[in-house]
């Protein structure tokens, strides 16, 4: 089978799983959008899906690499919502603000203040999500839920930023019920802290767990390898 067909089949499959999961969701009727994580994808594969009009939200985790890709005219002519989902170093913040529509990995007041300053300077309205940490492991970025909720309040009034919700990366857990419980806790906080408005996003779920995440109320699952690597390793 040709590469283009595998890619569109992969995307069809992911969208179908999301659609089924959203019918079972704890909060049905809430629109779910797919974020295609393009960080490891080859340019030609991203262009295949862009030119088919199949990508709306994309996620990248390296500022410089994303900047080179998405400012290239071949990519820049497509209108997509660009999310930064990696750990953001302050010395890359100016460039990140220039390129991205959303920074989904805000986990400190000082980072938010830096983003606010650059955003005001550029006359932008930068959308941000606060990253919640779902495990005690030190290797994970993000803030424990209670602190993440505090940060939302602290940054709500910063100029140039709109805080729109939460992002979290699930730990590897053996028990699927435990995973549901972790997602559910974030969902409850999201419901309370972002009760309405059209710019509200709850970004839970990756290739390994996006069906469960959407069932538990994620509105912006982030899927990379199930789109750009599945069935393509040996091509
Ligand atoms: C890489 C990445 C993803 C996508 O992971 P897959 O397992 O390839 O779907 C999602 N979210 C974040 C924050 C990532 O860094």
């Amino acid at each position: 089978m040709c590469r283009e067909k595998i890619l569109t089949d992969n995307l069809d499959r992911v969208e179908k799983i999301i659609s089924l999961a959203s019918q079972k969701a704890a909060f049905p009727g809430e629109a779910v959008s797919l974020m295609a994580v393009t960080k490891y994808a080859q340019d030609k594969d991203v262009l295949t899906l862009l030119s088919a009009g199949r990508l709306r939200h994309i996620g990248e985790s390296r500022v410089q690499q994303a900047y080179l890709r998405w400012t290239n005219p071949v990519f820049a002519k497509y209108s997509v919502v660009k999310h930064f989902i990696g750990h953001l170093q302050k010395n890359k913040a100016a460039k990140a603000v220039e390129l991205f529509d959303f920074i989904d990995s805000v986990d400190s007041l000082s980072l938010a203040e830096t983003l606010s300053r650059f955003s005001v300077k550029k006359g932008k309205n930068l959308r941000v999500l606060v990253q919640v940490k779902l495990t005690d492991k030190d290797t994970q970025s993000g803030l424990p839920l209670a602190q993440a909720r505090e940060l939302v309040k602290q940054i709500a009034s910063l100029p140039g930023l709109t805080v729109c919700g939460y992002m979290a990366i699930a730990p590897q857990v053996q028990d699927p019920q435990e995973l549901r419980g972790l997602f559910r806790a974030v969902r409850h906080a999201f419901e309370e802290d972002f009760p309405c408005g059209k710019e509200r996003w709850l970004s839970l779920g990756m290739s390994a767990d996006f069906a469960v995440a959407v069932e538990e109320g994620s509105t912006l699952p982030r899927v990379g390898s199930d789109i750009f690597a599945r069935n393509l390793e040996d091509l």
Side-chain angles (χ1 to χ4, degrees):
M1 226 195 307
C2 74
R3 198 170 177 96
E4 289 76 10
K5 171 85 168 101
I6 295 174
L7 279 165
T8 53
D9 281 357
N10 284 351
L11 186 54
D12 287 344
R13 172 184 168 274
V14 167
E15 286 182 342
K16 181 145 188 232
I17 292 171
I18 288 175
S19 157
L20 292 172
S22 68
Q23 288 163 29
K24 283 202 243 164
F27 298 81
E30 192 121 28
V32 179
S33 298
L34 168 66
M35 183 197 303
V37 175
T38 49
K39 65 182 182 195
Y40 297 136
Q42 296 183 28
D43 283 351
K44 63 176 182 187
D45 292 342
V46 180
L47 286 169
T48 295
L49 296 179
L50 282 171
S51 63
R54 297 288 305 269
L55 302 184
R56 292 209 40 237
H57 293 262
I58 65 90
E60 293 274 0
S61 61
R62 292 202 200 97
V63 175
Q64 184 59 20
Q65 183 190 313
Y67 192 86
L68 290 176
R69 172 182 275 168
W70 292 98
T71 57
N72 177 337
V74 177
F75 282 86
K77 70 176 188 196
Y78 296 102
S79 145
V80 290
V81 182
K82 298 181 208 52
H83 295 254
F84 183 76
I85 58 174
H87 180 71
L88 186 58
Q89 292 163 303
K90 291 225 180 69
N91 61 3
K92 306 257 172 71
K95 210 162 215 182
V97 170
E98 193 181 327
L99 181 68
F100 290 98
D101 304 293
F102 279 78
I103 306 292
D104 296 1
S105 48
V106 172
D107 62 359
S108 75
L109 180 57
S110 71
L111 175 59
E113 286 170 341
T114 303
L115 293 172
S116 163
R117 258 197 321 277
F118 286 123
S119 184
V120 167
K121 212 191 269 177
K122 294 234 153 60
K124 267 186 99 148
N125 170 27
L126 184 71
R127 274 75 57 84
V128 303
L129 306 183
V130 168
Q131 185 173 352
V132 178
K133 182 171 158 166
L134 297 177
T135 98
D136 297 335
K137 285 216 189 80
D138 288 337
T139 51
Q140 274 258 11
S141 29
L143 292 172
L145 186 55
Q147 280 166 255
R149 299 183 73 174
E150 269 312 300
L151 184 59
V152 165
K153 287 186 203 142
Q154 289 173 318
I155 68 182
S157 57
L158 290 179
L161 298 189
T162 303
V163 57
C164 303
Y166 295 111
M167 185 273 263
I169 300 172
Q172 287 185 319
V173 294
Q174 304 303 325
D175 176 8
Q177 282 310 118
E178 187 185 342
L179 184 60
R180 282 184 191 278
L182 294 171
F183 285 152
R184 206 166 287 173
V186 185
R187 174 76 211 200
H188 284 309
F190 175 69
E191 283 300 309
E192 280 184 31
D193 301 342
F194 299 90
C196 51
K198 63 179 163 71
E199 284 284 3
R200 56 196 285 281
W201 296 102
L202 180 63
S203 185
L204 306 173
M206 312 183 11
S207 291
D209 51 29
F210 68 95
V212 171
V214 170
E215 285 177 21
E216 294 302 331
S218 174
T219 63
L220 190 64
R222 310 174 304 273
V223 181
S225 41
D226 267 14
I227 299 171
F228 292 106
R230 192 181 150 87
N231 297 331
L232 284 168
E233 286 84 355
D234 43 4
L235 274 194

